[in-house]
């Protein structure tokens, strides 16, 4: 991750064997039905070797990505680790299925939440500073959130994801437990895994 990729999705493509995984290939011409609107966000629940949630924010034609082991919390006092991961193709926002065992990220994926996002400040500068504040308009997660970079090193960039204190904050609710299902199909990640 120390050397920037030549093209936006080179790292994504280099990590995957598209003969073996049903994930979108990330071809430069686009390989999904998803037209770039500039403001898509998605959170995927991913039952890989370790269960986690992948937060993705559309910017400049790709999905910026963070893996959040415990998922988002609506409690502004709770900061959740969010490891930056490789940019994903826009078509990934629709991806729900099973990555075969033995492939990178092997396990079931559901679209846990989906909607639009809006950065508070110019997003490229905010990312470079390591503090990105934005609004999410999803079914399950809404209102203002912040991603704060805490560490950059050989093992990647560690950020913290937390809810800002607004009308959508609710320390009493555990949204990942209350709403485990896909917003696309209503299926749980266990059901997707069982269906193969
Ligand atoms: Mn993942």
């Amino acid at each position: 991750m120390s050397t920037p990729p030549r093209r936006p999705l080179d790292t994504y493509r280099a990590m995957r064997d598209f003969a073996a995984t049903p994930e979108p290939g990330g071809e430069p011409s686009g390989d999904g039905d998803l037209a770039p609107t500039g403001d898509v966000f998605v959170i995927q629940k991913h039952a890989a070797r370790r269960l986690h949630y992948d937060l993705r924010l559309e910017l400049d034609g790709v999905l910026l990505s963070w893996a959040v082991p415990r998922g988002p919390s609506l409690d502004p006092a709770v900061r959740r680790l969010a490891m930056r991961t490789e940019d994903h193709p826009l078509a990934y926002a629709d991806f729900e299925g099973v990555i075969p065992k033995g492939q990178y990220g092997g396990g079931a994926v559901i679209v846990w939440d989906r909607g639009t996002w809006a950065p508070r400040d110019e997003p490229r500068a905010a990312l470079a500073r390591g503090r990105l504040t934005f609004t999410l308009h999803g079914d399950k997660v809404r209102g203002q959130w912040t991603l704060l970079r805490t560490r950059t090193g050989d093992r990647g960039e560690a950020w913290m994801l937390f809810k800002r204190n607004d009308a959508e904050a609710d320390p009493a609710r555990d949204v990942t437990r209350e709403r485990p299902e896909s917003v696309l199909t209503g299926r749980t990640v266990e059901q997707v895994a069982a269906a193969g």
Side-chain angles (χ1 to χ4, degrees), residues 164-196:
R164 298 185 70 84
N165 205 350
D166 60 17
E168 304 291 343
D170 189 347
R173 289 184 52 212
D174 184 343
V175 69
T176 55
R177 276 187 190 279
E178 277 177 24
R179 300 287 308 277
E181 81 288 356
S182 163
V183 292
L184 290 189
T185 63
R187 298 182 299 173
T188 64
V189 76
E190 292 82 7
Q191 289 170 327
V192 171

Side-chain angles (χ1 to χ4, degrees), residues 16 44-48 50 52-54 56 66-67 85 88 92 99 104-105 109:
R16 290 169 176 81
Q44 279 153 320
K45 185 176 181 180
H46 184 184
R50 289 187 185 179
H52 60 274
Y53 294 77
D54 290 295
R56 311 192 197 280
W66 288 262
T85 57
H88 280 50
Y92 213 96
I99 302 169
Y104 178 71
V109 175

